[in-house]
Amino acid sequence: EIVGLAGVSGNGQRELAEPINGLRHTESRRIVLHGNEIQNLSPHDVIASGMGYIPEERNTEGIVPSFSIMENLVLKDISTEKFSDKGIVKKKEEEANAERLVEGFDIRCPGIMTAAGSLSGGNIQKVILARELDRKPRFLVAVYPTRGLDMGAVEFIHQRLLEIRASGIGILLISEELEEIMNLSDRIAVIYKGTVQKVLRQDEATKERLGILMA
């Protein structure tokens, strides 16, 4: 399912997403992924456990802007046997992977060696989405995945999120766009000042009800 987290920016969304992905220390409570506790693990170990992450800041957290599209698409897997052998990168595999994902995710670019930071916001987001989804995560945290994007990119990303939900992957969708939350989510949690006020089924949620809870 997709669980949407609705709330005005600054009410604890980042403080929830970052501990789940090993980017912030957790002082209490547990984070459990498929029966295994992952709180306070390193980002490397959280990734290895099967977590996918579309971060809030695509340009500074989602990619290395000066790296090529090809390099950004393997950031999390460059040390695996698929892409390296005894520390030496398998260039052919890396290039084939990039060509496949650029085509499959309709990343508009001059070529796979283009610096990722030179792309439009929508295409940067597609690079991040392609990298995360191709890894076949067991769970995905998507933070403001369509903020600032044009209608075409928004529709493309929404379709991909629905496809991976249908494949059996759970998604935590964090967004300030109520229509996005209401259209995609099976359940909607509302966060205010760091606390989840209520969790509603999609058929219970209206803009008015969510707005009152958010305020």
Side-chain angles (χ1 to χ4, degrees), residues 86-102:
K86 297 177 182 177
I88 299 174
V89 174
K90 298 177 181 177
K91 279 293 181 184
K92 287 186 178 179
E93 283 79 359
E94 193 180 13
E95 290 172 1
N97 178 71
E99 295 285 3
R100 175 176 59 85
L101 292 178
V102 164

Side-chain angles (χ1 to χ4, degrees), residues 5 12-21 24 31 141 172 174 191 196:
L5 185 71
Q13 292 93 329
R14 177 183 285 268
E15 289 78 8
L16 176 63
E18 289 186 350
I20 292 174
N21 287 279
R24 188 185 291 253
I31 303 171
V141 179
L172 173 62
I174 299 174
I191 192 169
V196 172

Side-chain angles (χ1 to χ4, degrees), residues 199-211:
V199 180
L200 304 171
R201 296 192 313 271
Q202 185 189 45
D203 59 4
E204 298 175 317
T206 63
K207 283 188 176 181
E208 292 75 15
R209 194 171 184 186
L210 293 174

Side-chain angles (χ1 to χ4, degrees), residues 22-178:
L23 301 173
R24 188 185 291 253
H25 183 77
T26 304
E27 294 184 357
S28 63
R29 305 301 178 99
R30 299 184 304 147
I31 303 171
V32 181
L33 177 63
H34 290 276
N36 299 312
E37 293 190 21
I38 63 170
Q39 72 273 9
N40 298 328
L41 294 182
S42 68
H44 177 275
D45 289 338
V46 172
I47 291 167
S49 73
M51 184 68 69
Y53 184 38
I54 300 174
E56 178 178 355
E57 300 295 341
R58 66 178 73 99
N59 293 296
T60 55
E61 298 176 348
I63 61 166
V64 180
S66 61
F67 281 17
S68 68
I69 293 168
M70 179 182 74
E71 291 167 321
N72 273 282
L73 287 169
V74 294
L75 280 180
K76 293 185 174 182
D77 296 302
I78 193 61
S79 62
T80 63
E81 290 184 4
K82 181 177 180 181
F83 295 113
S84 65
D85 182 17
K86 297 177 182 177
I88 299 174
V89 174
K90 298 177 181 177
K91 279 293 181 184
K92 287 186 178 179
E93 283 79 359
E94 193 180 13
E95 290 172 1
N97 178 71
E99 295 285 3
R100 175 176 59 85
L101 292 178
V102 164
E103 181 179 356
F105 283 79
D106 192 30
I107 299 169
R108 309 289 176 87
C109 61
I112 61 173
M113 298 309 297
T114 303
S118 68
L119 300 176
S120 67
N123 283 299
I124 289 174
Q125 199 74 327
K126 287 180 182 179
V127 169
I128 298 168
L129 193 70
R131 181 184 66 225
E132 297 304 307
L133 299 193
D134 192 58
R135 301 185 74 254
K136 296 180 172 52
R138 303 175 77 190
F139 190 81
L140 177 69
V141 179
V143 187
Y144 308 132
T146 60
R147 185 161 65 182
L149 303 185
D150 61 55
M151 293 283 289
V154 169
E155 185 176 349
F156 179 89
I157 289 169
H158 283 178
Q159 187 59 41
R160 286 305 175 109
L161 292 177
L162 291 171
E163 286 174 4
I164 63 170
R165 178 191 67 175
S167 74
I169 297 170
I171 301 172
L172 173 62
L173 171 64
I174 299 174
S175 177
E176 297 170 13
E177 300 293 333
L178 280 185

